[in-house]
């Protein structure tokens, strides 16, 4: 069964103006000029199951539907010299204003390369919210007044530049949805993910016990939970020291 992602526009939304709508499930509204890019990332796997189980409501809004230009333009040349086009403030303001007239939002998040770095603690905190807006930039960026007056939080998934914020928004959405109770088959799985305890995860193994002479560590087959847990902790600690030395230093301080 396909995940039901709602694609709303000024033409097909049926929400009454000024009506505040409340829901007990998490709602994520994504503002983008390429809603089709979310087919796949948000219609498969854990996110799909969470949508179909009614645990999260994801709505895509085509920013061009909120343009007042007859050609549905959402970008223009920057003032002063400079390469590239800039996303205009009016369509973004129109969309966000309409959404806010329908419900209260905890955060309006701009997916930005210079926002705060997305980490597990950031995801954990955002997962406690009920209604979120994610704004996907494109071209050279967005009018700075959007960041100053409409956005409440800026998030980056890494120190590199993408063509737009759509992939970043998909990453953030996936990281949030998997923390919703009931989204994972084993709800304890998320608690043992990398970074939840300030360390990367230890190595994991499954059947067969032997493959091409490569063996599963005997300790994992011992049945002694206390010894196994200590082994996992030490493995996670060593991996963190090698692969995330900055996190290891924080662990030592604590």
């Amino acid at each position: 069964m396909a995940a039901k992602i709602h694609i709303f526009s000024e033409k097909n939304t049926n929400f009454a103006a000024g009506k505040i709508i409340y829901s007990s499930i998490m709602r994520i509204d994504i503002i983008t000029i390429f809603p089709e890019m979310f087919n796949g990332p948000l219609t498969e796997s854990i996110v799909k199951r969470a949508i179909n189980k009614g645990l999260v409501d994801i709505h895509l809004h085509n920013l061009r539907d909120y343009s007042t230009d007859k050609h549905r333009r959402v970008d223009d040349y920057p003032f002063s010299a400079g390469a590239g086009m800039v996303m205009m403030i009016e369509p973004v303001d129109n969309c966000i204003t309409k959404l806010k007239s329908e419900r209260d939002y905890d955060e309006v998040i701009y997916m930005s390369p210079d926002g705060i770095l997305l980490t597990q603690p950031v995801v954990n905190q955002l997962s406690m919210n009920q209604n979120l807006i994610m704004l996907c930039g494109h071209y050279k960026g967005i009018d700075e007044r959007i960041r100053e007056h409409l956005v409440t939080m800026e998030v980056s998934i890494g120190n590199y530049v993408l063509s737009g914020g759509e992939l970043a928004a998909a990453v953030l959405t996936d990281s949030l949805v998997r923390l919703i109770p009931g989204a994972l088959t084993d709800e304890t799985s998320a608690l043992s993910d990398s970074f939840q305890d300030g360390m990367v995860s230890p190595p994991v193994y499954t059947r067969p016990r032997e493959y091409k002479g490569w063996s599963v560590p005997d300790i994992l087959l011992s049945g002694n939970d206390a010894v196994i847990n200590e082994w996992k902790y030490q493995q996670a600690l060593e991996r963190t020291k090698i692969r995330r030395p900055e996190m290891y230093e924080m662990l030592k301080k604590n």
Side-chain angles (χ1 to χ4, degrees), residues 27-38:
R27 176 180 170 121
I28 300 173
D29 289 89
I30 302 175
I31 303 172
T32 172
I33 59 174
F34 297 113
E36 295 80 7
M37 286 186 66
F38 292 92

Side-chain angles (χ1 to χ4, degrees), residues 145-166:
R145 290 168 291 184
I146 299 172
R147 304 172 82 163
E148 292 174 344
H149 301 288
L150 302 176
V151 169
T152 63
M153 183 178 188
E154 299 188 20
V155 174
S156 169
I157 63 170
N159 296 328
Y160 50 87
V161 178
L162 299 171
S163 298
E166 284 76 15

Side-chain angles (χ1 to χ4, degrees), residues 74-103:
V74 295
D75 64 308
D76 207 338
Y77 295 101
F79 285 117
S80 74
M85 305 292 282
V86 178
M87 292 181 67
M88 302 159 64
I89 187 172
E90 186 178 24
V92 175
D93 185 33
N94 289 341
C95 184
I96 292 177
T97 298
K98 178 165 178 48
L99 290 175
K100 284 187 171 182
S101 74
E102 296 161 356
R103 64 189 50 79

Side-chain angles (χ1 to χ4, degrees), residues 37-221:
M37 286 186 66
F38 292 92
N39 290 329
L42 303 186
T43 57
E44 300 293 340
S45 190
I46 293 169
V47 177
K48 173 186 176 181
R49 293 202 303 269
I51 293 172
N52 290 340
K53 290 168 69 174
L55 301 176
V56 64
D57 205 5
I58 300 176
H59 295 252
L60 303 177
H61 304 269
N62 191 331
L63 186 61
R64 296 189 186 279
D65 293 333
Y66 296 86
S67 173
T68 57
D69 180 82
K70 65 178 181 179
H71 300 296
R72 304 175 77 216
R73 288 185 56 186
V74 295
D75 64 308
D76 207 338
Y77 295 101
F79 285 117
S80 74
M85 305 292 282
V86 178
M87 292 181 67
M88 302 159 64
I89 187 172
E90 186 178 24
V92 175
D93 185 33
N94 289 341
C95 184
I96 292 177
T97 298
K98 178 165 178 48
L99 290 175
K100 284 187 171 182
S101 74
E102 296 161 356
R103 64 189 50 79
D104 294 326
Y105 285 91
D106 301 290
E107 299 284 358
V108 178
I109 304 170
Y110 172 47
M111 308 309 301
S112 165
D114 57 355
I116 63 170
L117 194 63
L118 184 63
T119 62
Q120 194 60 50
V122 172
V123 175
N124 292 346
Q125 183 63 41
L126 284 174
S127 72
M128 304 300 293
N129 294 318
Q130 184 173 355
N131 298 318
L132 299 171
I133 292 176
M134 298 182 192
L135 172 62
C136 303
H138 219 76
Y139 309 117
K140 190 64 177 177
I142 64 175
D143 189 302
E144 186 66 19
R145 290 168 291 184
I146 299 172
R147 304 172 82 163
E148 292 174 344
H149 301 288
L150 302 176
V151 169
T152 63
M153 183 178 188
E154 299 188 20
V155 174
S156 169
I157 63 170
N159 296 328
Y160 50 87
V161 178
L162 299 171
S163 298
E166 284 76 15
L167 295 178
V171 167
L172 177 55
T173 299
D174 184 277
S175 67
L176 288 171
V177 170
R178 68 190 315 278
L179 293 183
I180 299 174
L184 299 179
T185 304
D186 180 359
E187 293 190 11
T188 63
S189 177
L191 300 177
S192 60
D193 285 341
S194 288
F195 312 118
Q196 283 289 11
D197 55 1
M199 296 189 292
V200 301
S201 293
V204 294
Y205 300 84
T206 189
R207 296 175 178 82
R209 179 175 179 176
E210 296 279 344
Y211 182 75
K212 293 186 176 180
W214 307 330
S215 301
V216 174
D218 290 337
I219 194 171
L220 295 177
L221 309 172

